[in-house]
Amino acid sequence: MSLAERVKGIKPSPTLAVDARAKAMKAEGIDVVGFGAGEPDFDTPDNIKEAAVKALKSGFTKYTPVGGTDELKDAIINKLKKDNGIQYDRSRIIVSTGAKHSLYNVAQALYGPGDEVIIPAPYWVSYPDQVILNDAKPVIVQTEEKGGFVLTAEAFEKAITPKTKALILNSPSNPTGLGYPKEALKAIAEVAVRHKVMVISDEIYEKITYDGFRHVSIASLGKEIEDLTVTINGLSKSHAMTGWRLGYAAGPKDVIGAMTKIQSQSTSNPCSITQKAAVEALNGPQDFLPVMVAEFDKRRKYIVERLNSISGVSCPMPVGAFYAFPRVSPLYGRKFNGKEIKGSADMAAYLLEEAKVAVVSGDAFGADDYIRLSYATSMSAIEKGLDRIEKAVKALS
Ligand SMILES: *Cc1c(COP(=O)(O)O)cnc(C)c1O
């Protein structure tokens, strides 16, 4: 049997793989501390679950319109107006089976052979592979830790060619935990408008921010950039709903229309029950959120302080999401039992096998000097994991 050519260019999601490996080791009875998870360790709030139960019991179990119910689209339109200052109508919204699916629909609708898509590194693992799956070319632009991992307008403009189709932005960022200030977005928007480059803005962590960081939607910065932007969001992170699978996109009518046509031939509507739960998530009380963010904030401060106290490790203070992204490259070249740690993959393997701590290697995000630790896990697990990492780093020679 021969598989399609496009399959050869991609890899399974490395973050999901680390999480699966840690879970498998746990199932074998090994005491692993998992920092791999890309999801909140909180349960979905009860009012949202109750809305789902009600939908189920009342028989809301049939197909819905492909791009989502009008009720849910209206809740999303309200949210985007209230939180993000952007005014949409129903024809410019599509609801999909997770934000990852929304991003994939965008990729299918916009990218094709010969197209280039600019992706600032460190990037979320699925962006390049979704570009490759649609026969286009990811153009990776490195950003610097000292610049807050922000893509500058100059670096963006330099990467643009006549083949450039889009730029993918993610703020606050997975994996860095850093975010784009408004001024940086303005400068990027100016370049995008001048060169007519689409901007795909993944804002899934907008609600999880710290130290007064204010998330800004690039589409809110003016009509011209709004017409070039597809804003992606969802409920997985903000409402602890990863398993429910619901995301959405808001953008120009023709792009959303194309995405809806594609979705009508692939998955049809997202789960009807989840859609009812999503209406409650968006319109109902939001008091769950500050409680979750306050807990993440405590862990964030602790984990970053512990990481920075380890010689050879340095970690910037995140302003969003729930990831710490320490630089560990000063440790490269050191050895354990004669075996040299050459890069982030070796480091992650060493920590997993010797310290029983699961982290994601930075090379998965296009940043081999780093590793990613999710602090969406209990404080006691974080303490135990950091004790182990500290000890394992000291054992290197
Ligand atoms: C988790 C995550 C997503 C995907 O979210 P789903 O709605 O669960 O598909 C998209 N982008 C980033 C950066 C993420 O971390």
Side-chain angles (χ1 to χ4, degrees), residues 273-290:
I273 299 157
T274 294
Q275 288 190 63
K276 281 285 188 190
V279 170
E280 174 62 21
L282 291 166
N283 291 347
Q286 305 293 314
D287 45 357
F288 152 85
L289 188 73

Side-chain angles (χ1 to χ4, degrees), residues 98-100 103 124 127 170 174 202 204-205 236-237 245-246 323:
K100 188 184 274 187
L103 286 160
W124 185 51
Y127 300 144
N170 175 214
N174 173 5
D202 181 347
I204 194 114
Y205 292 103
S236 283
K237 313 291 159 62
R245 308 312 301 132
L246 193 119
Y323 307 102

Side-chain angles (χ1 to χ4, degrees), residues 5 7 27 36 42 52 58 62 71 75 96 117 137 145-147 198 256 286-287 315 324 330 365-366 369 386-387:
E5 194 61 31
V7 182
F42 291 78
S58 69
K62 307 282 197 250
E71 184 191 25
S96 302
V117 179
K137 186 178 149 203
E145 184 184 327
K146 62 179 185 317
M198 297 281 308
I256 298 297
Q286 305 293 314
D287 45 357
C315 184
F365 311 102
D369 289 349
L386 264 295
D387 288 347

